[in-house]
Amino acid sequence: MAFKTIIEPFKIKTVEPIRWTTREAREQHLERAHYNLFLLPADAILIDLLTDSGTAAMSTHQWAAMMEGDESYAGSRSFDHFRRVIRDIFGYRHVIPAHQGRAAERILFSVMCKPGEVVPNNTHFDTTRANIEFVGAEAVNLPIPEGKDPAHIHPFKGNMDVAALEQLIARVGPPRVPLVMLTITNNSGGGQPVSMENARAVSALCQQHGIPLYFDACRFAENAYFIKLREEGYANKTPKQIAQEMFALGDGCTMSAKKDGLANIGGFLCTNNDALAQQEENLLILTEGYPTYGGMAGRDLEAVAVGLEEALEEDYLKYRIASTGYLGRHISAEGVPIMQPPGGHAIYIDARAFLPHIPPASFPGVALGGALYLEGGIRSVEIGTLMFGQHAAMDLVRLAIPRRVYTQSHIDYVVEVILEVWKRRDEIRGLRLTYEAPFLRHFTARLEPVEVA
Ligand SMILES: Cc1ncc(COP(=O)(O)O)c(C=O)c1O
């Protein structure tokens, strides 16, 4: 008998209390945080959907493996385990550990990019863009047109616009494109997957021009599961086989193991290029640590090694994708405009459509995030004008679901809060900046409400 209900494929052994606050207390917290949810103390939050990064609940197997962590400075046994698992799934020759995704990015771009060069991606994540710009290169987003329309339903909305990539390469010339990146799934573009067909086309074009292709692999397992569900010819393959096939199309990857590594910290950089790997390891030693730990403890290496394999388990992926879709379906059924179809790790509310009376320059995504916090203690994150400035094609509020952390009743509560805010959306006001940092301004920005005329 096949039952309809998809249950959490785990039972809970350790619990962490969460705290209620009053609306009055939340108003004070928000004002003190200058209307930036990053600046809130975590204890003032009931349901934290700020990020799915580093917030996963670890399994008994991961905790057990951590006890086996080998903390040797050089030649750690745990690094062998880490590298063995990564080579098996990702297939690249060199595995360079780093404490998180952006450390891998910084090393990759420092070694591969020069001022005046151009790095295309389906959509750069904020740290990816910032690290490219930091070395003087230009980060260019080339999503397919359907990816820019939140309401449009498309099975692989994370795809790269291959024709636009071809035009870009023709315009600037292959020598000015040191690498092409494909982000799987496309986080800033709505957590949408990239099809194998698209990855194949991008890879072929890169090969034709002698340009290396790198994956931003943070959510590779979720991407593989979407391919299994939606792309012809993949229904009978395992997520691991699909991931292996995709990575074989590229020359390397960056990875934040805080996502589909199911770990609280960790990451890595992979490449098949021996000369680059040597330079990357030298830089690693300078800033991250010795190449057999790269800024992580031996126990972290173990947690990632086990987590990467758990993230590819079908029961887990089935529950993961179903529970994200559950939140999306229940709010969109009541008219809340969301990025369609629901992505893998998050639901993205279209803040421009939710709050049409607030122009992008007055940060509708930040305003909506503040309203969700005031109403029910929920923390979300703006992915829009505050995060990307003039590069923002949309103003989205991302509700990222931490892996294996919340149950269906938590999500039912989130649905109720969103619908309450939806009813009173006309009362929400825009904001203006009072402080911004030169890079990644959304993390520390300060804002204040705009007075209504
Ligand atoms: C697509 C993508 N790339 C890179 C990163 C950076 O990873 P980290 O936060 O581990 O530095 C993230 C983090 O959210 C991401 O979503």
Side-chain angles (χ1 to χ4, degrees):
M1 169 92 193
F3 293 100
K4 276 200 318 287
T5 310
I6 297 171
I7 61 169
E8 287 86 359
F10 48 80
K11 53 185 180 171
I12 296 163
K13 191 178 247 175
T14 307
V15 296
E16 180 182 346
I18 51 177
R19 283 178 196 80
W20 271 263
T21 45
T22 61
R23 187 178 180 105
E24 197 186 354
R26 291 196 292 275
E27 277 166 6
Q28 286 169 10
H29 280 301
L30 196 60
E31 199 176 325
R32 258 184 256 135
H34 301 278
Y35 298 87
N36 181 347
L37 301 183
F38 276 106
L39 304 181
L40 284 174
D43 275 351
I45 291 154
L46 185 65
I47 307 274
D48 202 347
L49 307 182
L50 177 73
T51 177
D52 64 322
S53 180
T55 51
M58 289 208 297
S59 69
T60 48
H61 295 302
Q62 283 176 293
W63 283 110
M66 284 179 80
M67 288 304 290
E68 298 281 355
D70 174 1
E71 303 302 342
S72 304
Y73 186 96
S76 160
R77 184 177 65 239
S78 297
F79 178 68
D80 288 340
H81 182 197
F82 177 86
R83 184 171 54 185
R84 197 168 56 246
V85 170
I86 294 167
R87 278 190 177 152
D88 179 35
I89 300 168
F90 294 75
Y92 302 120
R93 201 158 48 245
H94 300 281
V95 176
I96 298 167
H99 78 276
Q100 63 182 96
R102 69 198 68 183
E105 290 165 0
R106 192 188 62 80
I107 291 171
L108 178 72
F109 302 133
S110 303
V111 167
M112 290 193 80
C113 302
K114 289 194 294 298
E117 292 182 335
V118 178
V119 182
N121 198 328
N122 42 354
T123 308
H124 288 280
F125 186 63
D126 59 349
T127 58
T128 321
R129 167 174 295 282
N131 273 299
I132 290 170
E133 291 174 352
F134 194 68
V135 296
E138 189 190 345
V140 177
N141 291 341
L142 300 176
I144 53 170
E146 294 89 335
K148 292 184 233 167
D149 175 1
H152 189 97
I153 307 252
H154 184 289
F156 291 104
K157 237 173 151 174
N159 282 354
M160 179 178 267
D161 185 335
V162 184
L165 177 64
E166 198 160 9
Q167 282 160 18
L168 178 88
I169 296 171
R171 183 167 56 80
V172 305
R176 273 186 61 209
V177 185
L179 74 158
V180 170
M181 289 198 88
L182 257 186
T183 304
I184 55 172
T185 58
N186 188 350
N187 181 2
S188 312
Q192 301 292 329
V194 173
S195 70
M196 191 70 79
E197 187 188 17
N198 186 252
R200 239 183 261 124
V202 171
S203 169
L205 191 64
C206 288
Q207 274 182 23
Q208 191 186 322
H209 293 287
I211 301 171
L213 171 63
Y214 277 69
F215 290 96
D216 178 339
C218 297
R219 298 177 181 83
F220 75 98
E222 291 168 9
N223 200 91
Y225 195 65
F226 277 121
I227 290 178
K228 183 179 169 77
L229 294 180
R230 297 181 184 170
E231 193 162 353
E232 217 188 308
Y234 289 93
N236 295 323
K237 296 204 169 157
T238 63
K240 182 170 170 180
Q241 288 169 329
I242 297 170
Q244 287 167 327
E245 182 176 332
M246 181 158 281
F247 291 127
L249 297 169
D251 301 277
C253 70
T254 54
M255 173 76 188
S256 167
K258 299 171 73 174
K259 285 83 171 176
D260 280 352
L262 291 172
N264 301 125
I265 195 72
F268 52 89
L269 167 61
C270 289
T271 180
N272 278 335
N273 184 316
D274 299 343
L276 280 180
Q278 197 169 46
Q279 291 177 55
E280 287 163 357
E281 284 191 351
N282 289 339
L283 203 51
L284 186 83
I285 293 170
L286 193 66
T287 57
E288 286 279 304
Y290 196 71
T292 57
Y293 72 88
M296 278 182 279
R299 54 182 171 271
D300 300 330
L301 296 165
E302 293 286 351
V304 174
V306 176
L308 285 168
E309 302 213 269
E310 289 183 353
L312 285 165
E313 283 170 12
E314 283 205 44
D315 280 349
Y316 160 73
L317 284 168
K318 184 175 179 190
Y319 135 81
R320 171 79 179 148
I321 301 301
S323 59
T324 306
Y326 178 91
L327 169 58
R329 267 200 327 279
H330 281 78
I331 57 173
S332 69
E334 299 299 320
V336 175
I338 64 163
M339 181 95 181
Q340 293 284 9
H345 67 293
I347 292 301
Y348 294 68
I349 301 177
D350 178 354
R352 287 188 195 172
F354 197 111
L355 302 171
H357 58 286
I358 303 181
S362 299
F363 307 109
V366 182
L368 177 54
L372 295 176
Y373 174 69
L374 284 181
E375 191 64 38
I378 297 168
R379 177 155 69 170
S380 54
V381 69
E382 185 251 21
I383 299 201
T385 306
L386 182 62
M387 186 178 273
F388 293 119
Q390 52 168 5
H391 300 287
M394 299 182 262
D395 277 282
L396 303 172
V397 169
R398 186 184 74 176
L399 303 157
I401 320 286
R403 293 168 179 78
R404 306 190 292 207
V405 170
Y406 294 117
T407 62
Q408 189 170 326
S409 62
H410 290 115
I411 301 298
D412 286 334
Y413 169 85
V414 173
V415 170
E416 263 189 67
V417 172
I418 295 170
L419 296 183
E420 199 50 43
V421 172
W422 174 238
K423 273 192 235 151
R424 298 211 307 270
R425 57 194 181 277
D426 296 343
E427 297 163 22
I428 300 172
R429 286 185 293 159
L431 298 126
R432 76 170 140 251
L433 275 168
T434 58
Y435 165 76
E436 62 178 311
F439 292 105
L440 300 173
R441 66 177 182 176
H442 52 288
F443 287 124
T444 53
R446 295 179 185 176
L447 302 101
E448 64 183 14
V450 176
E451 294 307 323
V452 260

